[in-house]
């Protein structure tokens, strides 16, 4: 099995952003890069990127927040415009760090957050890497079985370890054996935090207006977005359809697309060495 670099020591802080607390861990020196995690049950920044942080920190100042609603950050999301809420929170985090702009790396829900931040305030984003981002063509087709599994986690008979394991092994990754039981155990513990159960951060849109607003392919600004962007999409992604990568490449003027064979929704985890190399080179302008 492939070995992965151990996590380096990281400085941790809990920052006040617009009256909410955002947990952040950081390490490394160089241009700032924010790693924005996905929205699955029990997700958090460090757990989402633990195979990437050390390698990227060789060249960058790596900043890894827990998005609002997750991990050690304040729980609750504004349901009428969740992507806008997340983007505003991360923009506030940039302000708290005194950063005029930064690179953004976003997986799934975090990719939607990064893309919305770039659309709203492109001057705050240097370069951007998106892995299977949410909100691409979501009004043009029914949700995938993987996305339905994710969205149904807190409904019905409520959260369970078996439910989470089925989502991760059957829908999140290409090779189920690549995910150790310890990852599922840790995510399950975090997913049943009473505050999270009371206000799940990822839900079905509350209205047609919200649904429309959450599909970036309906946003005319996408075709004018100047931010250089690399989109990485697993060819076997069962959560967000790989066809979303082509939609972005066709609409965005400065978008490179890399489709990753034999890979599901978690490119940075499943193909860590490839991801680390492509991401570091793209952010540095070497490709």
């Amino acid at each position: 099995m492939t070995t992965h670099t151990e996590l380096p020591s990281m400085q941790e802080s809990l920052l006040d952003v617009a009256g909410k607390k955002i947990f952040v861990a950081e390490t490394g020196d160089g241009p700032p890069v924010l790693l924005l995690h996905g929205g699955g049950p029990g997700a958090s920044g460090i757990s989402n990127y633990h195979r990437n942080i050390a390698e990227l920190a060789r060249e960058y100042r790596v900043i890894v927040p827990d998005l609002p609603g997750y991990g050690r950050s304040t729980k609750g999301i504004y349901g009428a415009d969740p992507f806008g809420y997340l983007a505003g929170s991360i923009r506030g985090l940039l302000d708290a760090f005194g950063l005029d702009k930064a690179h953004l790396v976003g997986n799934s829900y975090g990719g939607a957050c990064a893309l919305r931040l770039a659309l709203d305030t492109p001057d705050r984003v240097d370069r951007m890497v998106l892995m299977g981002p949410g909100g691409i063509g979501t009004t043009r087709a029914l949700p995938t079985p993987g996305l339905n599994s994710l969205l149904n986690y807190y409904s019905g008979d409520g959260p369970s370890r078996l439910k989470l394991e089925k989502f991760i092994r059957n829908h999140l990754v290409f090779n189920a054996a690549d995910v150790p039981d310890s990852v599922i155990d840790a995510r399950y513990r975090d997913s049943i935090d009473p505050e999270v159960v009371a206000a799940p951060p990822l839900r079905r849109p509350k209205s047609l207006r919200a649904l429309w607003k959450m599909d970036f392919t309906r946003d005319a600004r996408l075709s004018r977005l100047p931010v250089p962007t690399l989109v990485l999409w697993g060819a076997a992604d069962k959560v967000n359809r790989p066809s979303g990568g082509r939609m972005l490449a066709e609409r965005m003027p400065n978008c490179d697309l890399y489709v990753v064979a034999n890979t599901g929704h978690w490119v940075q985890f499943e193909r860590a060495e490839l991801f680390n190399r492509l991401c570091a080179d793209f952010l540095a302008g070497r490709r």
Side-chain angles (χ1 to χ4, degrees):
M1 183 174 176
T2 304
T3 57
H4 298 278
T5 307
E6 292 294 319
L7 273 174
S9 61
M10 304 188 75
Q11 179 181 339
E12 298 182 353
S13 53
L14 198 61
L15 301 179
D16 190 297
V17 177
K20 308 290 185 180
K21 298 295 184 182
I22 295 185
F23 171 81
V24 181
E26 60 176 309
T27 187
D29 293 305
V33 179
L34 270 69
L35 305 184
L36 307 177
H37 65 80
S44 65
I46 293 176
S47 68
N48 208 133
Y49 289 104
H50 73 269
R51 292 184 172 182
N52 320 113
I53 292 169
E55 289 302 316
L56 293 177
R58 296 175 186 272
E59 191 170 352
Y60 299 97
R61 177 187 176 188
V62 178
I63 300 170
V64 191
D66 288 345
L67 291 175
Y70 292 87
R72 285 177 265 184
S73 294
T74 297
K75 304 305 181 286
I77 292 286
Y78 178 57
D81 184 17
F83 296 163
Y85 178 82
L86 293 174
S89 298
I90 297 304
R91 188 163 43 249
L93 187 63
L94 293 178
D95 294 339
F97 276 118
L99 296 172
D100 291 331
K101 63 166 41 181
H103 298 304
L104 299 181
V105 175
N107 170 227
S108 194
Y109 207 41
C113 170
L115 188 51
R116 177 62 184 273
L117 197 161
L119 287 169
D120 289 347
T121 48
D123 58 306
R124 304 299 300 271
V125 183
D126 197 342
R127 285 177 165 242
M128 187 162 56
V129 178
L130 307 175
M131 301 87 77
I136 311 302
T138 46
T139 61
R140 302 176 190 274
L142 293 174
T144 63
L147 185 56
N148 277 327
S149 175
L150 192 162
L151 293 171
N152 291 337
Y153 180 71
Y154 289 101
S155 62
D157 55 357
S160 70
R161 190 192 181 282
L162 179 59
K163 242 179 166 178
L164 183 60
E165 182 171 19
K166 284 183 176 179
F167 165 68
I168 290 175
R169 297 201 189 281
N170 296 345
H171 298 293
L172 188 66
V173 296
F174 178 77
N175 180 13
D178 194 31
V179 183
D181 286 339
S182 59
V183 169
I184 296 171
D185 291 337
R187 286 191 61 155
Y188 176 63
R189 285 194 301 270
D190 289 344
S191 78
I192 56 172
D193 179 319
E195 285 188 279
V196 176
V197 175
L202 184 59
R203 307 188 194 193
R204 297 182 190 277
K206 292 186 174 182
S207 67
L208 287 175
R209 182 178 181 182
L211 177 64
W212 203 266
K213 199 175 188 66
M214 291 172 70
D215 185 350
F216 295 112
T217 66
R218 304 289 185 182
D219 192 326
R221 298 176 297 173
L222 195 63
S223 63
R224 304 190 299 270
L225 185 63
V227 176
T229 301
L230 171 63
V231 173
L232 300 170
W233 216 301
D237 191 333
K238 296 178 183 177
V239 178
N240 292 333
R241 290 182 176 87
S243 57
R246 178 55 58 192
M247 289 183 186
L248 287 177
E250 289 173 349
R251 287 167 173 79
M252 298 174 70
N254 295 307
C255 177
D256 292 337
L257 173 63
Y258 194 113
V259 178
V260 189
N262 301 317
T263 304
H265 188 56
W266 226 6
V267 174
Q268 80 285 355
F269 179 92
E270 299 176 72
R271 301 291 299 276
E273 288 80 6
L274 174 68
F275 169 82
N276 292 340
R277 184 171 67 251
L278 291 175
C279 184
D281 285 350
F282 181 80
L283 296 180
R286 292 191 291 266
R287 65 173 65 231

